[in-house]
Amino acid sequence: MDTFDAIYQRRAIKHFDPNHRLTKEEEARLLDAAIQAPTSFNAQHWRFVIVRDPALRRRIRTEFGNDQAQMTDASLLIIMTADVKAWAKEPGRYWQNAPKEVAELLVNWMGPFHEGRDWLQRDEAQRSIGLAMQTIMLAAKAMGYDSCPMIGFDIEKVGELIKLPADHVMGPMVAVGKKTKDSWPKPGQLPLSAVVVENSF
């Protein structure tokens, strides 16, 4: 599929075929596309929690997810999380294939850039989640599937269910699968004149 077609055709789908599953090859292709998303310092903060246990998916839906059917019915339910301390965990591995002088420069810069700036560490982790999540949704569309990003759930309780490490943060969920019903028409995009600012406000 053409990239622009995927961008314009991607919609948040609420109704999925509960009997459909992606093949292992399709799932691997989707996730491999996700990790092509950019991250600050190439730290690759994202951690994709794939919820396969049907009972866990039902519990997320009924107890903590406002009974959103896509949580149980989609082929994949991915909880987007990120390691806020990724920058400090063997940072050399993020640059192992780069020229030595580039690797040394960036690895040595990662510590001073992040240390003592908890807000920045969290912001970078969440930015990484967003970039990877959009990549997943566009890749799914290009593969002939649909998706639904979701933030309407009890973040703290779901974090407990998946045993989220203390140095990680929760992001949205994304459901991926075969739709059974189209979404409603786009509710309306703001005109470019309302969102594009040249040089300064």
Side-chain angles (χ1 to χ4, degrees):
M1 175 179 281
D2 176 80
T3 301
F4 277 87
D5 288 342
I7 291 169
Y8 281 92
Q9 291 179 30
R10 184 216 58 80
R11 299 298 310 281
I13 296 298
K14 308 296 184 182
H15 304 278
F16 290 92
D17 180 352
N19 298 311
H20 180 271
R21 291 292 175 267
L22 274 68
T23 66
K24 288 182 179 180
E25 292 77 17
E26 288 175 321
E27 184 177 315
R29 186 179 184 201
L30 183 70
L31 294 172
D32 194 62
I35 64 172
Q36 306 312 308
T39 57
S40 180
F41 287 95
N42 199 37
Q44 301 165 69
H45 313 75
W46 3 258
R47 301 296 179 263
F48 309 110
V49 181
I50 299 177
V51 186
R52 299 195 193 279
D53 181 354
L56 181 56
R57 287 175 68 164
R58 279 194 302 274
R59 190 171 179 201
I60 290 171
R61 172 182 172 174
T62 59
E63 294 182 36
F64 307 119
N66 299 301
D67 199 29
Q68 296 180 76
Q70 60 271 31
M71 291 178 170
T72 56
D73 294 354
S75 302
L76 281 179
L77 180 66
I78 306 171
I79 301 175
M80 306 292 291
T81 76
D83 184 349
V84 297
K85 299 298 182 183
W87 60 272
K89 297 176 180 177
E90 301 177 57
R93 62 190 168 143
Y94 308 133
W95 294 94
Q96 60 186 341
N97 297 325
K100 184 179 178 182
E101 61 276 12
V102 173
E104 288 180 353
L105 173 68
L106 289 165
V107 170
N108 290 333
W109 191 14
M110 288 176 77
F113 183 79
H114 291 93
E115 286 169 358
R117 303 168 85 188
D118 291 346
W119 62 270
L120 176 68
Q121 295 171 32
R122 182 181 176 86
D123 284 358
E124 290 296 347
Q126 292 290 357
R127 275 190 277 271
S128 295
I129 285 174
L131 289 163
M133 190 166 173
Q134 180 72 350
T135 301
I136 287 171
M137 292 187 292
L138 292 178
K141 192 66 193 174
M143 293 168 64
Y145 292 115
D146 284 283
S147 61
C148 184
M150 294 172 284
I151 198 60
F153 60 93
D154 188 321
I155 295 171
E156 289 76 17
K157 292 296 185 182
V158 173
E160 291 173 10
L161 281 180
I162 64 171
K163 300 181 172 70
L164 186 76
D167 57 0
H168 285 49
V169 290
M170 291 283 289
M173 297 180 190
V174 60
V176 177
K178 186 176 180 181
K179 71 178 179 181
T180 58
K181 185 178 177 182
D182 287 332
S183 60
W184 51 78
K186 281 195 174 185
Q189 304 303 119
L190 291 172
L192 288 176
S193 60
V195 298
V196 177
V197 177
E198 295 198 20
N199 299 320
S200 64
F201 282 91

